[in-house]
Amino acid sequence: MRITVEIEPRHADNTLCDHKVKPSGKPRDPASGCPGRTQFAVVCSQHGDVDKSHHVKQTAEPAATEHRQEHRAALATR
Ligand SMILES: [Zn+2]
Ligand SMILES: [Zn+2]
């Protein structure tokens, strides 16, 4: 099975934010019902949420890369 590690934008209540938002995290369209994007989760297809969520995407990216590398290492020893 192929394992994917993605960065998922979330709202404060930990639900997926697939709305269009401004760089500030505020919704672009006030009618979209988006309460605002406040965090980024690293989600692994095998492990689910990895570690804690991140407040900015810049810190989520290295965490996602690190988790991908853990899988690569685990697969290599098999
Ligand atoms: Zn949203
Ligand atoms: Zn994983």
Side-chain angles (χ1 to χ4, degrees):
M1 191 184 84
R2 198 177 139 73
I3 296 163
T4 56
V5 181
E6 311 272 357
I7 296 167
E8 189 179 279
R10 300 261 178 95
H11 303 128
D13 64 358
N14 220 26
T15 54
L16 170 67
C17 179
D18 57 0
H19 307 101
K20 293 230 187 317
V21 297
K22 297 174 186 169
S24 64
K26 296 270 181 287
R28 245 175 231 285
D29 177 7
S32 67
C34 180
R37 183 175 294 184
T38 61
Q39 54 185 336
F40 294 87
V42 179
V43 185
C44 172
S45 62
Q46 191 179 6
H47 295 110
D49 286 15
V50 175
D51 205 5
K52 55 184 167 42
S53 60
H54 300 264
H55 289 290
V56 291
K57 200 173 184 182
Q58 282 78 358
T59 67
E61 274 163 357
T65 302
E66 195 180 310
H67 193 73
R68 283 188 196 107
Q69 282 166 351
E70 279 173 31
H71 276 298
R72 205 163 296 152
L75 293 169
T77 56
R78 212 167 265 176

